[in-house]
Structure formats: C-alpha cells, structure tokens
Amino acid sequence: MNTEISALFTIFGATGDLAHRKLYPSLFRLFKKGYIQKNFAVIGTARREWTDTYFREVVADSVKDIVENEDELTEFTSHFYYISHNVNDAAHYVELKKLSETLDEKYTINGNRIFYLAMAPQFFGVIGDMLKSNHLITDNGFNRLIIEKPFGHDLQSATELNEQLARSFSEDQIYRIDHYLGKEMIQNISAVRFSNMIFEALWNNKYIDNVQITLSETVGVEDRGDYYDHTGALRDMVQNHVLQIVALLVMEPPLSLDGNDVRNEKIKALRSLRLYENKQDVLDNFVRGQYVAGNEQVGYTDEPNVNPESNTETFVAGKIMVDNFRWAGVPFYIRTGKRMSQKDTYIHIQFKHVSMNLFPTEGVEEVAQPNILTIHISPLEGFSLRLNTKRVGQGTEMKNIRMHQILDEQTSANSPEAYERLLLDSLNGDPTNFTHWKEVEQSWRFIDQIRNAWDDEENYIFDYESGSMGPKESYDLLARDNFDWIEFNWSTKYKKD
C-alpha cells in the first residue's frame, strides 16, 4: 500500500465536464492505490443547488467504469460534500470555511488544502482574493492552488492575472496544470535523452537535421464553438502543449530531476526561442489554416456557435528556431489542428544523413534514408528508430527497418492517466510537471509576436479540407528548406508488425 497523504480538495466548478471526466476518476484511482484513504475529503462547489447525496451520485457515475468493489465506491464517495457557491459573494466563503474546518477535524487533515479551479479563468483572481481575505488559507498545513489553462490570452492579461494571484499565493503554491506534462511519453523525453549516451551525445546541431512535432485531431470544435472562436489553435495548443514539448527537447541537462532544476532549464530553453519581431518573418514562418467542408464534415464557419465570418485558425504550422549554441540552425517544425486525417501526437527527430552514400540508389526498391527517432505520445505510446540495413540476399541493396518499443494495450491501460499523475504530484508538492510563471511569460512573449502579425493580416489564413493533414502552405513551409513532413500511418503499420 502506498503512503497516504492527507488533504482537503476544494473543487470550484465541481459540476463541470472536466471534474466529471477527469478529476473524480483520477481521485478514485488514487484512493484505490492508497494515496488517499481515510484522511481526505472533497468539497465540490458551483452555482447549482445540489445536495451531498446527489453530488455523490454524480461522482459514482463518473467512476462507474473503473469500479471493482461497491463497498469501496461507497467509502470513497462518503468523503465528498457539496456546497452551492457564488464565487463573487464573500458570504459564501464564510460557509465554505465552516465546512472546511469541520471536515478537517472529522478526517484529521491537519490543515492541508488543495484548491482546484476547474472553471473559467476570469474567476481565478477573485477566488484567490476571496480565499485569502476569508481566511481559507491555513497556517498549519500546505496550501496549493491548481489552475487550468488558459492562463491569460496574451502576455499582458497573463501578467495581470499572475500579479492578482500573487496577492494570495506564492509562486511555489501555484500549480498551473498542463495535462500534456502528465502523459507517459512526454515524461519519457528526458529519460531517453539523459540516460542514453547514444542520443545525448548526438542531441545537437552537428547531428540533427530537423525536429517535427505533430498534434493532430480528427474532431472539430464540437460543443466548444463559442470558446474556440475567441481562442484559436495558436492559443489553445501552441502556447502551452506544443511549447512545453519544445522546451523539453531543447533544454540543457538539469543539475538534478528536482522540480526547480528542471523548470529552470525549461525557462532558459523558452528564452532561447527566436522571436519573429518582423511581421513578414511571422508570415514566412507560420501558417494559419481553417478547415472547410469535406469528407461529409461541415466547415468550421458552419459549426454551432461559430461566427460565419470567422477567421479563427483551427490549424497552425510553424518553424521555430532556437538561438543557442546547441541548436543553432536546426528547425523545429510544429503543426497542430482539428479535423485532420488522423488523431496522432508524435515527435520525429531526424538525424543528418551520411555524407557519402556507398550503396546503390538506382534500380532498387529502397535506398538508405536518414535515421529518425520517433517518440509516440498518443494514441500509440512508445519509441521507434529507423535504421538502414542490407537487404537479405545477394548484392548490397538497402532495407529500411524500424526498431520499436510500443506499449501494449494492457500496459497503457494500467499506466496512470495524466490527471492522476498530476494530482498526485500536487499532493506530494512536486512542481516538476507544472509550469512556472516564467515559462508562461516566455511562451506568451513568443506567441504574441505571431498573434499580432496575424491580426494585422486578417486575410492571411488558408483553407484545408476536413480529413486532410492541413493546407498546402504547411507543406511549402518545409519544402523551402528541402524537408517534408514525415507522415506515416503508424498505428496500422505497427499492428501488422
């Protein structure tokens, strides 16, 4: 049995989709594994007038697919309490404080508090102020504030929000969650880099030709049209998920795997990204796209709650340059979008090709190709490495092979889900996989340059057919550097293997 950690979770936005799909199942898994057992409680708050009984029924429904023992489920849900709450009303925080103190004593929680803000970011600041002014932040235990993205919509708003939160919580108490940092293979990037000399010795511009990062989705905006139309792919995906992946690939080896050491190196990495301060440089290096009707799917502007005249991007492709000694001259190509042909998240590290090819290139089925290390993040999880070998038989013809380790379905199913990992990290006070304010600041500084250029050139947006891998211009972006997007139906191929 794992060591139990005592804590009172207060979830603002407890009636929402995130809490139902991710938070309650993650807490249940932690309960089953013994990380939380007797000395924990959960207060759910939202505007809806729910009772404790109804709240527990909702929680039970959210975890029904992973329940093995009904008695265990009953014990788990008995730790859940609900209070109707208006985040702007100080009187409601008085009631919340009373309930918190009652539960602290009942479950021997020792003043440990985790406040999870699973709601719109415009409420983050006022909740932080109210928690402090109404004395819900304790003196005798730990206090941690977990907040979801988006953290602002540009550098100015993010800075204002951070300053507001800093009035109530110190930086080491603020846990800005990015669920990508909880994914198994994202956490494996550092393991592959820093524990294998074969890669770390070659992890630089002398041996790597380019890096490609793809986060593609087959779904459209679904029921998020109103939110998405004011956000777009650049803010929704690149500012956080994509740049966090870039930082992990680019950063120098940390002094240790301590959270502060890792985050210090990520901050340096983000500072080294080239800022495209000239508008034309942005237009030359970043492509903005929007899906149109195709493959029996409607176009973006025909989606519910989307402005029919909208020029919000549903696709971004870009070329990121890193201005430091290790990476000078190596392009990092990124792309992410909705309504693409496949749901995949992967990273390709393409190494430089041998300078002299001794093997036949004409009249043969395959020729020697550059080595590619691929990190499969989702839905496949694992690694593959493309190598060249001699084809079996007479002669010296080449054959491309892949050495791969792909997690099987059972292993993936038993692997902790991203939110489960991150909730446990927050319980343990481990900030490694949460973003520091300086990371957020640098990422917004980078994104704002692109956003400002696009806002000046409203018509700079390219159509792509639903079910494709993006507009032609994203392919042109790489072709100018004599590269191509590395595209392959990995899932199908590995199943055949």
Side-chain angles (χ1 to χ4, degrees):
M1 183 65 70
N2 294 304
T3 303
E4 182 180 3
I5 307 165
S6 63
L8 171 62
F9 296 86
T10 303
I11 301 176
F12 293 84
T15 61
D17 182 62
L18 173 67
H20 192 272
R21 287 189 305 108
K22 298 295 185 181
L23 302 187
Y24 304 143
S26 295
L27 288 170
F28 187 51
R29 292 188 182 97
L30 293 177
F31 176 79
K32 292 173 69 174
K33 294 175 182 179
Y35 292 110
I36 52 175
Q37 277 284 301
K38 298 183 182 301
N39 306 119
F40 88 100
V42 179
I43 299 175
T45 77
R47 281 183 174 273
R48 296 181 188 178
E49 297 285 346
W50 286 5
T51 63
D52 290 348
T53 300
Y54 184 74
F55 182 40
R56 291 169 184 174
E57 290 173 356
V58 169
V59 173
D61 178 72
S62 75
V63 303
K64 62 185 178 184
D65 293 336
I66 52 176
V67 172
E68 297 173 354
N69 182 306
E70 287 298 325
D71 290 338
E72 185 178 54
L73 174 62
T74 301
E75 171 62 21
F76 173 69
T77 57
S78 72
H79 290 253
F80 281 71
Y81 300 81
Y82 186 84
I83 182 169
S84 181
H85 185 80
N86 179 345
V87 298
N88 295 300
D89 188 343
H92 285 203
Y93 291 87
V94 174
E95 295 302 313
L96 183 60
K97 184 174 185 290
K98 289 179 182 177
L99 178 58
S100 298
E101 291 173 346
T102 299
L103 297 179
D104 190 292
E105 182 176 356
K106 179 176 181 178
Y107 294 104
T108 318
I109 292 173
N110 300 317
N112 294 330
R113 303 280 190 269
I114 292 179
F115 305 98
Y116 200 119
L117 309 192
M119 56 195 314
Q122 63 262 34
F123 298 115
F124 292 174
V126 68
I127 292 174
D129 289 342
M130 288 288 195
L131 290 174
K132 181 177 182 179
S133 62
N134 290 281
H135 309 291
L136 277 97
I137 300 173
T138 63
D139 297 323
N140 60 323
F142 64 70
N143 293 269
R144 292 163 191 158
L145 181 74
I146 304 178
I147 52 179
E148 286 279 345
K149 73 174 181 103
F151 194 86
H153 63 270
D154 57 16
L155 179 57
Q156 180 180 342
S157 61
T159 302
E160 291 171 354
L161 175 55
N162 192 67
E163 290 173 349
Q164 190 172 14
L165 290 176
R167 296 199 296 258
S168 305
F169 293 88
S170 61
E171 177 60 33
D172 62 1
Q173 293 177 313
I174 301 174
Y175 287 65
R176 301 173 189 84
I177 201 166
D178 183 336
H179 72 272
Y180 262 66
L181 295 181
K183 290 181 178 290
E184 179 67 38
M185 299 315 299
I186 295 294
Q187 296 192 352
N188 244 308
I189 292 174
S190 295
V192 169
R193 279 193 59 184
F194 302 130
S195 66
N196 295 286
M197 181 57 74
I198 188 175
F199 293 126
E200 178 55 21
L202 307 180
W203 209 261
N204 56 61
N205 55 7
K206 185 176 180 180
Y207 298 102
I208 292 178
D209 225 359
N210 73 93
V211 177
Q212 300 182 17
I213 302 168
T214 294
L215 289 74
S216 60
E217 300 178 90
T218 54
V219 298
V221 295
E222 300 178 298
D223 59 352
R224 300 170 70 226
D226 185 57
Y227 161 78
Y228 198 89
D229 205 35
H230 291 89
T231 305
L234 186 69
R235 291 187 176 114
D236 189 48
M237 296 294 287
V238 180
Q239 183 270 329
N240 38 75
H241 306 327
V242 173
L243 290 185
Q244 283 293 315
I245 293 173
V246 171
L248 289 168
L249 294 168
V250 167
M251 74 180 193
E252 293 298 312
L255 293 174
S256 74
L257 293 180
D258 173 78
N260 290 324
D261 287 341
V262 171
R263 297 203 296 182
N264 285 340
E265 293 304 330
K266 286 167 64 185
I267 293 166
K268 293 177 188 176
L270 291 168
R271 283 176 175 164
S272 70
L273 303 187
R274 181 181 300 173
L275 294 178
Y276 294 118
E277 297 180 348
N278 181 285
K279 181 171 71 174
Q280 191 58 49
D281 288 339
V282 172
L283 302 184
D284 289 343
N285 289 286
F286 272 81
V287 174
R288 178 167 60 159
Q290 186 184 95
Y291 65 82
V292 296
N295 295 295
E296 300 182 354
Q297 300 286 352
V298 301
Y300 174 71
T301 54
D302 291 321
E303 296 278 18
N305 300 316
V306 170
N307 181 354
E309 304 298 322
S310 175
N311 64 354
T312 297
E313 77 282 354
T314 61
F315 173 94
V316 176
K319 173 182 173 181
I320 297 175
M321 301 302 293
V322 183
D323 291 331
N324 63 19
F325 187 79
R326 181 187 289 262
W327 293 109
V330 178
F332 284 69
Y333 300 108
I334 61 102
R335 63 175 172 176
T336 181
K338 293 188 175 295
R339 284 273 184 254
M340 297 175 74
S341 62
Q342 58 192 42
K343 177 178 173 57
D344 256 329
T345 299
Y346 51 80
I347 304 164
H348 295 307
I349 295 96
Q350 181 173 319
F351 293 87
K352 292 184 177 180
H353 204 14
V354 291
S355 57
M356 184 174 68
N357 192 355
L358 300 175
F359 299 91
T361 58
E362 296 183 4
V364 294
E365 289 186 33
E366 295 182 16
V367 299
Q369 298 285 348
N371 303 126
I372 298 174
L373 171 66
T374 299
I375 304 172
H376 301 278
I377 298 169
S378 176
L380 289 177
E381 294 180 292
F383 300 92
S384 67
L385 179 63
R386 186 170 77 180
L387 298 172
N388 300 303
T389 64
K390 189 186 87 66
R391 186 177 292 276
V392 175
Q394 199 73 22
T396 56
E397 288 189 24
M398 288 279 93
K399 180 173 178 60
N400 310 133
I401 66 167
R402 291 184 322 282
M403 300 175 64
H404 61 264
Q405 174 64 46
I406 303 299
L407 301 184
D408 58 43
E409 290 183 4
Q410 182 177 358
T411 302
S412 292
N414 291 332
S415 175
E417 198 270 340
Y419 275 91
E420 178 189 343
R421 292 177 191 271
L422 296 174
L423 282 173
L424 180 57
D425 284 346
S426 70
L427 278 166
N428 286 319
D430 182 354
T432 307
N433 297 308
F434 296 86
T435 53
H436 191 279
W437 159 244
K438 292 296 183 183
E439 294 176 68
V440 177
E441 181 182 39
Q442 290 301 130
S443 64
W444 274 124
R445 184 167 284 120
F446 180 85
I447 292 299
D448 279 358
Q449 298 296 129
I450 302 165
R451 185 78 262 166
N452 292 340
W454 283 357
D455 289 344
D456 284 345
E457 295 287 337
E458 291 186 1
N459 295 324
Y460 179 78
I461 187 164
F462 304 101
D463 293 342
Y464 65 98
E465 186 178 20
S466 293
S468 71
M469 283 302 286
K472 171 183 175 295
E473 288 74 11
S474 74
Y475 291 86
D476 295 341
L477 178 67
L478 274 68
R480 292 199 297 268
D481 297 333
N482 296 314
F483 294 122
D484 296 298
W485 287 112
I486 302 166
E487 293 179 338
F488 191 82
N489 194 334
W490 302 98
S491 299
T492 302
K493 189 66 178 178
Y494 284 131
K495 287 176 182 176
K496 289 181 180 179
D497 289 349

